[in-house]
Amino acid sequence: DQSVIASLLAVFSDFRTDFTIDDVTDLSQYGLDDPTAAIHLETADSTYDVLVGDESQMDSQRYISLGDGSVYLAAADPLDSYNVLLAGLIQNDEVPYFGDVTSLNFSGDVSYAVTYEADSGKSYDADDVYFTTLNGSTLALDTSRVSSYLNTLEYLSLTDFVTYAADDDHLDAYGLDDPELTVTVNYTDTDSEGTETAKTFTLSVSRDPSQKDSEPDEDDPDSITAYVRVEDSAIVYQITGSEYLELLACAKNDLRHQALLWAAFTDITQVDVTLDGESYTFTVQTEGDEHTWYYGEEKLSVEDFQSALTGLTADTFTTTQPDGKEELRLTVHLDNESFPSVELVLYRYDGRYCLATVDGTPTAYVLRSSVMKLVEAVNAIVLQ
């Protein structure tokens, strides 16, 4: 790091002493026979060897020898700057602030691409701007989850280097010759004058080769030894097990919406419900910011229904076709030209889970208790 080196050199660009002891014959009196530090400097014309000894008992100033037969009391202790490890001198790689991300690419154990598309009309939530594909169809990702992942990258601590001169042997030793994951972020950087520049950032991640054949223990992150490398940098860093787990949590199912229905509740205009062979319709009348729900002519209080509907979340995503009894069917009509309605069907799976389909596509296992909460909320409305 050039700024750190400059600060080290600055110590001797104006080096002052408070006292001089001439004609010294016994350097051991000052701790200079076995110095605390030896600093060697060279210029084009001269060389300097600075020995740093003990501190004086009277005023705790450092004894210094320049090899000229005298011992000096330094006005400022050079060890205040020079008591530094190599790790403190290296120009570490930096993760940039990504600005406007245009795409994300994952390769390795996870392999797919994410694109940024504002106002795409590909989701019923206008906040959805990150998309990928799943089984040939467009999948809207959860903007907050993608943003959180990008923050994990941006705030990654790259300080604990294990080598600053990585060659093929080093990369093999740290598992980075064949990384478990490589993340590439394409983004647009805008400078102070408003000039936009397309840039790319790449990070490779891997566990220690001795651990690659086993699943990482998510309950014991400290047991994980993992490394990262920026671009083609010669520096390899060790990261924490927790950081490793956060970086590897980038599969489509990690970044997609966990809720079965993530539309704004205020965008709902009608809900058709089928329960136990009976059909019911809840309607919404909107005046300005006021949304009034009705069942027939009766006004409704829908707080419990809203909580239960928006609380339907995936415990595990699946593509398994349902073969159990239909528990509940809802067609949610939306104030959205591209997505006028969404159909949710919950099927019995076992005592703990129901299997949910969204618009006819098997999507997720949902806790049966969450489904029963919604059933109870519907019954509270239609049976009152």
Side-chain angles (χ1 to χ4, degrees):
D1 186 328
Q2 299 304 302
S3 64
V4 176
I5 297 299
S7 68
L8 294 182
L9 296 177
V11 172
F12 294 107
S13 65
D14 185 22
F15 188 64
R16 298 177 180 274
T17 60
D18 283 345
F19 189 76
T20 302
I21 306 169
D22 293 319
D23 302 322
V24 174
T25 58
D26 184 7
L27 292 176
S28 64
Q29 298 180 63
Y30 312 103
L32 290 165
D33 58 329
D34 183 18
T36 301
I39 303 169
H40 177 82
L41 302 100
E42 294 185 15
T43 70
D45 303 319
S46 305
T47 61
Y48 303 90
D49 286 289
V50 182
L51 302 183
V52 183
D54 295 337
E55 292 182 330
S56 63
Q57 293 184 359
M58 182 177 298
D59 45 22
S60 298
Q61 288 181 282
R62 189 72 65 177
Y63 290 114
I64 301 292
S65 169
L66 301 177
D68 58 3
S70 297
V71 170
Y72 305 92
L73 277 178
D77 189 346
L79 286 191
D80 289 345
S81 297
Y82 277 80
N83 189 17
V84 61
L85 299 175
L86 181 59
L89 303 178
I90 287 177
Q91 179 66 61
N92 288 311
D93 298 296
E94 294 183 355
V95 183
Y97 169 68
F98 294 128
D100 297 321
V101 172
T102 56
S103 65
L104 273 165
N105 289 278
F106 301 98
S107 61
D109 292 351
V110 171
S111 182
Y112 70 102
V114 176
T115 58
Y116 176 93
E117 301 177 64
D119 303 319
S120 66
K122 294 181 177 180
S123 171
Y124 48 72
D125 187 341
D127 290 336
D128 287 340
V129 293
Y130 295 106
F131 300 90
T132 188
T133 58
L134 182 66
N135 301 322
S137 300
T138 298
L139 175 67
L141 300 178
D142 187 329
T143 299
S144 63
R145 285 178 170 263
V146 176
S147 297
S148 177
Y149 186 84
L150 291 171
N151 285 338
T152 296
L153 287 172
E154 288 178 333
Y155 291 102
L156 190 64
S157 177
L158 298 180
T159 56
D160 190 8
F161 81 93
V162 290
T163 180
Y164 58 91
D167 56 19
D168 290 344
D169 289 338
H170 285 109
L171 296 180
D172 179 69
Y174 299 122
L176 290 167
D177 57 326
D178 183 22
E180 291 180 69
L181 175 68
T182 299
V183 187
T184 301
V185 183
N186 298 300
Y187 64 101
T188 301
D189 182 49
T190 304
D191 64 20
S192 58
E193 297 179 354
T195 302
E196 295 184 350
T197 305
K199 294 187 177 181
T200 299
F201 172 81
T202 301
L203 183 79
S204 298
V205 188
S206 199
R207 277 180 296 161
D208 188 275
S210 65
Q211 298 184 351
K212 278 190 174 183
D213 291 336
S214 59
E215 289 294 320
D217 187 350
E218 297 185 10
D219 294 327
D220 184 16
D222 291 341
S223 68
I224 299 172
T225 303
Y227 307 98
V228 298
R229 182 191 188 201
V230 175
E231 312 284 353
D232 295 323
S233 172
I235 308 179
V236 173
Y237 306 90
Q238 184 169 348
I239 58 174
T240 67
S242 295
E243 289 172 325
Y244 166 84
L245 293 173
E246 290 174 354
L247 289 171
L248 267 289
C250 61
K252 294 178 183 180
N253 288 344
D254 293 316
L255 301 182
R256 68 191 292 185
H257 288 279
Q258 307 298 296
L260 297 188
L261 179 73
W262 61 90
F265 198 73
T266 53
D267 287 341
I268 297 176
T269 61
Q270 179 176 312
V271 178
D272 301 324
V273 181
T274 301
L275 175 63
D276 294 332
E278 299 292 332
S279 296
Y280 312 97
T281 296
F282 308 147
T283 57
V284 184
Q285 292 184 10
T286 301
E287 292 184 11
D289 294 332
E290 293 294 324
H291 304 273
T292 306
W293 285 68
Y294 290 88
Y295 174 48
E297 299 296 323
E298 185 176 354
K299 287 185 180 181
L300 299 178
S301 175
V302 292
E303 287 82 1
D304 290 344
F305 177 76
Q306 176 180 352
S307 174
L309 178 59
T310 57
L312 288 178
T313 58
D315 186 85
T316 307
F317 290 100
T318 184
T319 57
T320 301
Q321 290 289 341
D323 58 8
K325 175 181 178 292
E326 179 180 310
E327 299 272 20
L328 180 66
R329 179 183 296 264
L330 302 97
T331 301
V332 181
H333 300 269
L334 302 171
D335 183 14
N336 189 302
E337 293 183 1
S338 300
F339 295 87
S341 65
V342 179
E343 183 184 63
L344 307 179
V345 185
L346 288 307
Y347 297 89
R348 183 176 299 172
Y349 181 72
D350 59 21
R352 180 170 173 78
Y353 292 106
C354 289
L355 195 157
T357 66
V358 179
D359 289 333
T361 301
T363 301
Y365 296 111
V366 180
L367 287 174
R368 183 173 173 79
S369 57
S370 297
V371 176
M372 291 302 101
K373 182 179 178 181
L374 182 56
V375 169
E376 291 170 2
V378 170
N379 280 328
I381 293 173
V382 301
L383 298 179
Q384 61 183 349

